[in-house]
Amino acid sequence: MSVATAAVRDRVLGLLPGRADWQAVRRSPRRDLLAGLTVAIVALPLALAFGVTSGLGAQAGLVTAVVAGAVAAVFGGSNLQVSGPTGAMTVVLVPVVQQFGPTGVLMVGAMAGLVLIALALARLGRYVRYLPAPVIEGFTAGIAVVIALQQVPAALGVTDAHGDRVWAVAADAVVRFVVHPRPAALAVAIGVAALMLLGARWRPGLPFSLLGVAAATILAETAPVDLVRIGALPQGLPAPSLGFLDLGAAGVLLPSALAVAALAALESLLSATVADGMTVGERHDPDKELFGQGLANLASPLFGGIPATAAIARTAVNVRAGASSKLAALTHAAALAAIVLAAAPLVGRIPLAALAGVLLATTVRMVEAGSLWALARATRGDALVLVLTFTVTVIWDLVTAVAVGIAVAIVIALRAVARSARLEQVPLEPGEHNAEEHALLDAHIVAYRLDGPLFFAAAHNFLLQLSDVADVRVVILRMSRVSTMDATGAQVLGDAIRRLRGRGIAVLLSGVTPGHGQVLSVLGVAEELRRDGLVFPDTPAAIRHARGLALSAAAH
């Protein structure tokens, strides 16, 4: 076995659950079982609604909650995480369904699972912490708006709305509703949403989403109202199948798979971080979490399920219900499986408008107005990133929004860092070294101290400032406070040195750190200075040499 193969094997074994991962189950199994049942009650209407919204139907949502929920619970890196279909994922999946059909979605899910496993093996889970807060809040708010727009047709009782984008479909549904109004569907959607929002303030512990769906179903069964139902569901999970595999389409589906994998990684790791913050002593393993989500997304398509992620809302319910181990998430999946087996005909009678109401209420809860307002007032840069991410999410898609948000945040951050870089002339005061400094000043010697990063974003200003130096014979560049230097910064430094030397000005370097010296050497910068003995370990040595050069020049 080669060294590389052995390393991969050891890495995979390190990601598999061990005995320590299950020690928490023994602490309070009864409380975990009750928490799992509570989450299942909350998750049932959400799983149905997200399945319908994705375009693959309510059954796909239930299958995802059962299969992906169980696999992610066993192999994931958090004791408290609950996984399944989510609103953010449906936002990404809708255009995939429209372009490639249901089998394309299953293929995309499996490919995304492989990408997530590769991310786990590469130990990339830890880097989600570097995602800027305005980007997170912006796409969360954007997702909420997109999910709400997706519910407009069902809430209005319109089944034949069309459009290229979700807002176009919603607008078309409104137009069709005005021509042929269906007040019953609208009333049911508003009623369920109002019950959830008002009930959560009155009794936060009660599952008002389930109560609202149940009430709407009873109304639809007993009153003469025209409401579109979910439709027939099979009693049990479908048999596993690889019929969706189409290796020839992998290249075309790869961009969608990468988008799904990016969203699954992002949402799952953010959810795990939120769960850690709600507890004392719990810390998730981000790489194991990616590995578990990868396996879950490999398993879900086998049974006809859609891609899954960890769900922040269901995870929060799990924590608040007292969960302390993976047993709670497994119980949630088992309870949903039991519902599929025992109550499929009843679930099929649920009105789609009721599920639209559930998701409309969910979108209201997703948006933290106070947090958005605080970020918008923090700095102009934060406000710009927030608004851009939100707008692109609603108009185009989530992945583009995150890419745009991160790109703008990076540009703003680089601009701020570049502004912190300074080229400052340092006065050679008599008390700094010795009384000879007055003579050095008279001999046209100047010292400049470089503070902060010398990299591509700051290099241009540095070159302009240093090139303006005039009426001197010797320039000392003090480098000890340069925090970082990249290739562009080093090349600009070399260009400035050549310009000064071309004007007959001697250039001395002092305090070059080993790391920066390596960059300069690799790029061949300041090699002439090294050969001429003009690079010094400290400033006093450089000043002594500069004085000799100045006096020699004055003598001639």
Side-chain angles (χ1 to χ4, degrees):
M1 181 182 297
S2 66
V3 175
T5 303
V8 173
R9 181 203 61 190
D10 293 341
R11 180 65 183 143
V12 172
L13 292 176
L15 292 172
L16 294 174
R19 182 177 299 177
D21 294 306
W22 296 101
Q23 289 178 348
V25 174
R26 303 175 183 174
R27 287 198 295 243
S28 51
R30 181 178 298 179
R31 192 166 62 178
D32 286 331
L33 290 171
L34 291 175
L37 291 174
T38 302
V39 176
I41 292 173
V42 173
L44 175 61
L46 292 175
L48 295 170
F50 288 137
V52 172
T53 303
S54 72
L56 267 70
Q59 179 190 356
L62 279 174
V63 166
T64 306
V66 173
V67 177
V71 174
V74 173
F75 294 96
S78 170
N79 284 329
L80 308 173
Q81 195 93 280
V82 179
S83 299
T86 64
M89 187 60 75
T90 62
V91 172
V92 177
L93 293 180
V94 168
V96 178
V97 175
Q98 294 173 347
Q99 188 172 0
F100 303 109
T103 56
V105 172
L106 302 183
M107 184 72 178
V108 163
M111 293 172 63
L114 293 175
V115 173
L116 289 169
I117 292 173
L119 295 177
L121 293 174
R123 294 184 170 92
L124 297 181
R126 69 198 75 178
Y127 293 107
V128 73
R129 71 187 69 171
Y130 298 115
L131 196 67
V135 174
I136 297 173
E137 295 291 344
F139 82 65
T140 301
I143 287 170
V145 172
V146 172
I147 295 173
L149 290 173
Q150 287 175 339
Q151 307 319 306
V152 171
L156 299 179
V158 177
T159 58
D160 54 353
H162 300 288
D164 294 332
R165 299 285 180 182
V166 63
W167 47 266
V169 176
D172 186 51
V174 171
V175 172
R176 293 174 184 272
F177 178 80
V178 171
V179 176
H180 299 290
R182 297 177 177 85
L186 181 60
V188 167
I190 294 175
V192 171
L195 177 64
M196 288 179 61
L197 295 173
L198 297 175
R201 293 188 175 187
W202 176 53
R203 291 285 180 86
L206 292 179
F208 284 99
S209 60
L210 191 64
L211 294 176
V213 170
T217 305
I218 293 172
L219 174 67
E221 292 295 315
T222 57
V225 292
D226 181 21
L227 294 171
V228 180
R229 314 298 181 92
I230 289 177
L233 294 175
Q235 290 183 275
L237 295 176
S241 170
L242 291 173
F244 63 89
L245 284 181
D246 183 4
L247 299 181
V252 178
L253 296 173
L254 182 59
S256 299
L258 293 175
V260 168
L263 177 59
L266 181 64
E267 191 167 11
S268 298
L269 293 178
L270 287 176
S271 176
T273 302
V274 170
D276 289 347
M278 296 175 65
T279 59
V280 178
E282 284 289 343
R283 288 295 177 268
H284 73 283
D285 184 323
D287 294 326
K288 280 190 175 182
E289 184 59 32
L290 289 180
F291 185 71
Q293 295 296 332
L295 292 178
N297 279 285
L298 279 177
S300 183
L302 296 177
F303 296 89
I306 61 177
T309 77
I312 295 178
R314 275 158 276 178
T315 299
V317 171
N318 194 39
V319 175
R320 293 193 185 105
S324 61
S325 76
K326 297 172 179 287
L327 179 61
L330 277 173
T331 302
H332 138 270
L336 289 177
I339 293 173
V340 172
L341 292 172
L346 179 59
V347 171
R349 301 299 298 168
I350 294 175
L352 291 178
L355 299 183
V358 170
L359 292 186
L360 288 172
T362 302
T363 60
V364 174
R365 292 177 178 177
M366 286 176 65
V367 178
E368 294 286 346
S371 178
L372 291 174
W373 180 239
L375 283 174
R377 292 184 302 166
T379 66
R380 291 182 179 178
D382 288 332
L384 176 62
V385 173
L386 178 71
V387 172
L388 270 178
T389 307
F390 170 81
T391 303
V392 177
T393 300
V394 175
I395 296 178
W396 281 283
D397 59 75
L398 179 66
V399 177
T400 303
V402 173
V404 169
I406 292 176
V408 174
I410 289 173
V411 170
I412 292 173
L414 289 177
R415 182 168 173 263
V417 173
R419 284 183 170 182
S420 70
R422 296 191 306 276
L423 179 68
E424 180 180 1
Q425 183 174 345
V426 182
L428 301 177
E429 299 174 0
E432 183 175 356
H433 298 290
N434 52 50
E436 297 178 348
E437 310 298 37
H438 289 296
L440 291 173
L441 290 172
D442 293 338
H444 304 294
I445 299 173
V446 295
Y448 287 93
R449 184 175 63 212
L450 282 70
D451 280 334
L454 183 57
F455 72 131
F456 68 93
H460 179 68
N461 289 335
F462 166 78
L463 177 61
L464 292 178
Q465 293 178 57
L466 196 54
S467 297
D468 288 339
V469 174
D471 195 27
V472 296
R473 293 174 182 167
V474 183
V475 171
I476 301 172
L477 298 179
R478 299 172 59 176
M479 306 284 292
S480 60
R481 294 195 182 183
V482 175
S483 58
T484 186
M485 181 189 297
D486 69 355
T488 304
Q491 289 176 345
V492 168
L493 175 63
D495 191 14
I497 291 172
R498 284 190 293 273
R499 291 189 186 192
L500 291 172
R501 286 167 66 90
R503 290 161 49 193
I505 300 173
V507 180
L508 283 64
L509 299 182
S510 71
V512 179
T513 63
H516 301 156
Q518 181 181 3
V519 176
L520 295 175
S521 297
V522 169
L523 295 174
V525 177
E527 286 306 303
E528 291 184 11
L529 298 185
R530 292 185 188 277
R531 286 195 298 268
D532 295 341
L534 300 179
V535 179
F536 300 89
D538 53 48
T539 301
I543 290 176
R544 287 192 296 270
H545 191 83
R547 184 175 181 274
L549 292 175
L551 291 176
S552 176
H556 290 82

